[in-house]
């Protein structure tokens, strides 16, 4: 009996205008969007490679001068990920590179800073199609599943026979879901074949497995909105009213809640800007440098009191050694004080950002669309995991530079003159050779990605089960 009703429901949807609209949406949107986004990724990859070549060429022609604490002596560039074809995530919002200066890590301009006005309209990618377009279509498929038959009077006729209510409702859910997901899967497969033909590395295991999981999560997300549509349909007697309620729910769940949660988070947990933090570090270095210079001058005055020709003897080895011995403890004290205070500034700022983001994420998870987004950007390496790994690698690279290169640079004017003189005498090693190359940005493992996404997967499963259960309970208790 169930199979017969499912077949009837499938034929009912296939012969409807809604199925034609769904089919056109799938065949036009999914393959075309994947193809366009793959071309965008290919161009970003070319830009990334050209930026690295240009930086290496400029470093050889014009060696960096670390005497200026604001000069970037090296850059860590952000490599685009091929999985951004499916979900752009934070890819364009992240800085294109992290510049290493003695004052700390300076962020390069983000991709969005050069974006056109079209950026304010949002990204058109696979995540947007599933999260926004297909969620609305799922509600349009189910809003009159029960309310429409009740309004037409066919529900009373069907249930007057020996037809269990649970079988009837399951046929509505399963039949409509099958009709919906088949065009979706076919169009997605066509899109994958198209971008694979263009050069997308789908054959690689680390690419194919996240794409497979992304497909499963998309099917679960569509099932959530099917359950929501049936739930609304069982509670209302009029199909028009059910349509209005379903559309209102979609607006709040898809458009308002995910964005409004972070607006509330900014009010609840405000933070400073990145530029304000950088300026605070710069002011701290200037203040500490002033105190250090005064101490060095005082020490030099005491040590060379009565000596003549002190400045003229800067090329003397004994003089240089004595000067270095005087400066070393003061500079080490300065570096330790600067590092401790900047670490405190960074920790405080990071706590502020983490708290604000945690509040926003927690509130946004009220809507299933947020859970889908977090899972998708984690699987495609365009979310928090990519961002945190990028900045952590930048901080590690800065620490490496600080230990091996920046620690040898002094703010003292006399010491700088001596260092320049030494470089002119000993030209065997260029300034560029002293700077270690930027490290490779490591991607999060799939197991770590799935672990981070477990909460959102469970939430989607909970939404699907909860709304389905409430729909059945209401339908069983309804007076037909």
């Amino acid at each position: 009996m169930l199979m017969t009703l499912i077949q009837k429901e499938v034929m009912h949807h296939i012969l409807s205008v809604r199925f034609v609209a769904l089919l056109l949406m799938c065949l036009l949107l999914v393959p075309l969007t994947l193809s366009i986004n793959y071309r965008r990724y290919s161009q970003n990859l070319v830009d990334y490679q050209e930026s690295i070549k240009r930086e290496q060429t400029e470093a050889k022609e014009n060696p960096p001068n670390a005497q200026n604490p604001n000069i970037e002596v090296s850059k860590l560039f952000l490599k685009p990920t091929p999985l951004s074809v499916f979900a752009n995530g934070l890819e364009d919002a992240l800085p294109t590179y992290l510049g290493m200066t003695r004052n700390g890590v300076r962020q390069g301009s983000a991709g969005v800073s050069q974006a056109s006005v079209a950026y304010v309209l949002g990204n058109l990618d696979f995540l947007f199609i599933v999260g926004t377009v297909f969620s609305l279509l799922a509600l349009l498929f189910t809003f009159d599943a029960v309310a429409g038959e009740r309004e037409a009077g066919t529900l009373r006729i069907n249930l007057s026979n020996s037809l269990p209510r649970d079988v009837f409702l399951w046929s509505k859910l399963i039949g409509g879901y099958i009709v919906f997901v088949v065009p979706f899967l076919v169009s997605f497969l066509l899109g994958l074949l198209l971008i694979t033909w263009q050069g997308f590395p789908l054959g690689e295991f680390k690419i194919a497995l996240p794409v497979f999981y992304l497909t499963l999560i998309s099917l679960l997300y569509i099932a959530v909105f099917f359950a929501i549509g049936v739930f609304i349909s069982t509670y209302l007697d009029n199909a028009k009213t059910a349509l209005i309620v379903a559309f209102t729910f979609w607006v709040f769940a898809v458009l308002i809640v995910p964005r409004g949660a972070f607006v509330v988070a900014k009010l609840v947990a405000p933070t400073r800007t990145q530029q304000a933090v950088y300026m605070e570090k710069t002011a701290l270095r200037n203040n500490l440098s002033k105190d250090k210079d005064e101490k060095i001058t005082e020490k030099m005055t005491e040590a060379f009191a009565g000596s003549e020709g002190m400045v003229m003897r800067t090329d003397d080895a004994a003089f240089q050694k004595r000067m270095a011995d005087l400066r070393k403890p003061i500079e080490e004290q300065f570096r330790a004080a600067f590092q401790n205070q900047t670490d405190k500034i960074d920790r405080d700022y990071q706590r502020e950002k983490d708290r604000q983001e945690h509040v926003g994420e927690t509130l946004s998870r009220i809507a299933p669309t947020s859970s889908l987004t977090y899972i998708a950007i984690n699987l495609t390496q365009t979310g928090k995991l990519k961002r945190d790994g990028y900045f952590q690698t930048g901080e590690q690279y800065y620490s490496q530079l600080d230990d091996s290169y920046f620690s040898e640079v002094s703010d003292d004017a006399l010491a700088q003159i001596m260092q320049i003189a030494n470089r002119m005498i000993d030209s065997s090693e260029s300034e560029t050779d002293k700077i270690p190359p930027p490290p490779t940005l490591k991607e999060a493992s799939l197991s770590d990605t799935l672990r981070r996404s477990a909460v959102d997967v469970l939430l989607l499963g909970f939404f699907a089960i909860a709304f389905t259960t409430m729909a059945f309970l209401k339908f069983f208790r309804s007076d037909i």
Side-chain angles (χ1 to χ4, degrees):
M1 180 181 294
L2 178 60
M3 292 303 300
T4 303
L5 290 175
I6 291 175
Q7 292 175 2
K8 177 184 176 183
E9 191 68 21
V10 168
M11 291 303 300
H12 169 72
H13 283 294
I14 289 178
L15 297 175
S16 66
V17 178
R18 283 177 287 192
F19 179 75
V20 177
L22 170 66
L23 195 60
L24 291 175
M25 285 277 191
C26 290
L27 294 178
L28 290 177
L29 276 181
V30 178
L32 184 61
T33 299
L34 291 178
S35 178
I36 293 174
N37 285 335
Y38 179 70
R39 292 184 181 181
R40 177 185 56 81
Y41 158 74
S42 300
Q43 183 59 50
N44 290 341
L45 184 61
V46 171
D47 294 341
Y48 163 78
Q49 295 169 345
E50 290 296 327
S51 297
I52 292 180
K53 291 180 181 178
R54 184 169 59 252
E55 179 66 17
Q56 293 173 346
T57 302
E58 291 178 356
K60 291 180 180 179
E61 296 177 352
N62 301 304
N65 178 21
Q67 304 295 346
N68 186 339
N70 292 310
I71 292 295
E72 297 170 346
V73 301
S74 184
K75 295 178 181 178
L76 173 65
F77 287 94
L78 178 66
K79 184 178 181 180
T81 173
L83 288 170
S84 62
V85 171
F86 302 95
N88 194 47
L90 299 174
E91 190 92 343
D92 288 340
L94 292 174
T96 54
Y97 70 88
L98 299 179
M100 304 297 142
T101 74
R102 283 202 295 141
N103 275 339
V105 180
R106 176 184 291 172
Q107 297 183 10
S109 61
V112 297
S113 63
Q114 301 174 356
S116 65
V117 178
Y119 180 80
V120 302
L121 302 177
N123 292 313
L124 181 61
D125 53 18
F126 179 76
L127 175 60
F128 172 82
I129 293 173
V130 174
T132 304
V133 179
F134 284 171
S135 61
L136 178 60
L137 291 175
L139 291 178
L140 294 179
F141 258 66
T142 54
F143 77 93
D144 61 347
V146 178
E149 295 219 19
R150 180 186 284 115
E151 189 177 20
T154 56
L155 180 62
R156 183 187 298 272
I157 297 174
N158 289 329
L159 295 182
S160 63
N161 301 316
S162 57
L163 175 63
R165 294 193 178 192
D166 60 334
V167 173
F168 174 82
L169 203 54
W170 276 122
S171 68
K172 292 289 183 181
L173 275 169
I174 298 174
Y177 188 72
I178 291 174
V179 172
F180 195 94
V181 300
V182 168
F184 165 71
L185 291 175
V186 170
S187 63
F188 187 47
L189 179 60
L190 290 175
L192 290 178
L193 292 175
L194 179 60
I195 60 175
T196 303
W197 175 72
Q198 293 176 340
F200 182 74
L202 186 62
E204 297 181 10
F205 182 77
K206 65 178 183 179
I207 299 293
L209 203 55
V211 172
F212 174 72
Y213 285 130
L214 183 62
T215 306
L216 295 182
I217 292 301
S218 300
L219 294 177
L220 177 58
Y221 176 77
I222 292 172
V224 169
F225 275 86
F226 257 81
I228 293 172
V230 172
F231 166 74
I232 294 173
S233 186
T234 57
Y235 269 78
L236 299 171
D237 298 331
N238 185 275
K240 292 182 180 179
T241 305
L243 176 60
I244 295 173
V245 172
F247 183 73
T248 303
F249 178 89
W250 176 83
V251 169
F252 274 92
V254 176
L255 301 181
I256 296 179
V257 172
R259 295 163 177 80
F262 287 91
V263 174
V264 174
K266 289 180 180 180
L267 299 176
V268 175
T271 66
R272 292 169 288 174
T273 63
Q274 181 71 31
Q275 185 64 25
V277 173
Y278 184 83
M279 294 302 297
E280 187 176 353
K281 290 181 183 179
T282 303
L284 174 64
R285 174 178 283 278
N286 293 336
N287 292 334
L288 291 176
S289 295
K290 183 179 179 181
D291 294 339
K292 185 192 68 173
D293 292 341
E294 292 177 356
K295 290 181 180 179
I296 290 177
T297 303
E298 182 180 349
K299 286 287 184 180
M300 288 173 57
T301 303
E302 294 175 359
F304 299 100
S307 299
E308 296 180 358
M310 181 179 62
V311 178
M312 301 300 295
R313 295 165 51 198
T314 55
D315 59 341
D316 184 70
F319 175 80
Q320 292 183 7
K321 184 177 184 304
R322 190 176 180 187
M323 287 290 298
D325 292 340
L326 285 174
R327 289 195 311 271
K328 186 175 180 181
I330 300 176
E331 289 185 346
E332 288 181 351
Q333 182 182 4
F334 160 76
R335 289 184 65 249
F338 178 74
Q339 191 64 45
N340 291 335
Q341 294 189 48
T342 54
D343 287 346
K344 183 179 183 302
I345 293 172
D346 288 335
R347 287 194 301 270
D348 292 342
Y349 178 57
Q350 190 62 43
R351 277 196 296 267
E352 292 175 5
K353 292 198 302 180
D354 290 344
R355 180 170 178 265
Q356 183 185 91
E357 194 168 70
H358 178 70
V359 172
E361 287 183 1
T362 303
L363 293 176
S364 68
R365 283 188 169 99
I366 299 173
T369 304
S370 300
S371 294
L372 170 72
T373 301
Y374 299 145
I375 298 171
I377 61 178
N378 283 337
L379 286 173
T380 56
Q381 298 291 335
T382 58
K384 284 180 61 178
L385 294 176
K386 176 71 172 287
R387 182 200 63 190
D388 295 344
Y390 180 40
F391 289 121
Q392 287 172 8
T393 303
E395 291 295 336
Q396 292 170 2
Y397 183 42
Y398 174 77
S399 299
Q400 183 184 4
L401 281 172
D402 191 41
D403 294 336
S404 62
Y405 181 70
F406 290 145
S407 59
E408 299 178 358
V409 181
S410 176
D411 289 311
D412 180 45
L414 181 57
Q416 290 179 3
I417 295 174
M418 293 168 60
Q419 289 172 354
I420 294 173
N422 289 334
R423 284 199 299 267
M424 294 176 63
I425 296 172
D426 183 14
S427 59
S428 59
E429 185 180 18
S430 66
E431 197 72 12
T432 306
D433 295 334
K434 298 179 182 179
I435 302 174
T440 303
L441 184 62
K442 296 181 179 179
E443 295 183 351
S445 63
L446 184 59
S447 59
D448 189 30
T449 300
L450 295 177
R451 181 179 59 83
R452 295 284 190 96
S453 303
V455 172
D456 294 300
V457 174
L458 292 175
L459 275 175
L460 287 180
F462 169 77
F463 283 129
I465 294 173
F467 280 106
T468 302
T469 302
M470 288 189 292
F472 273 88
L473 291 177
K474 174 60 178 177
F475 191 58
F476 287 154
R477 297 174 59 183
S478 297
D479 184 13
I480 305 301

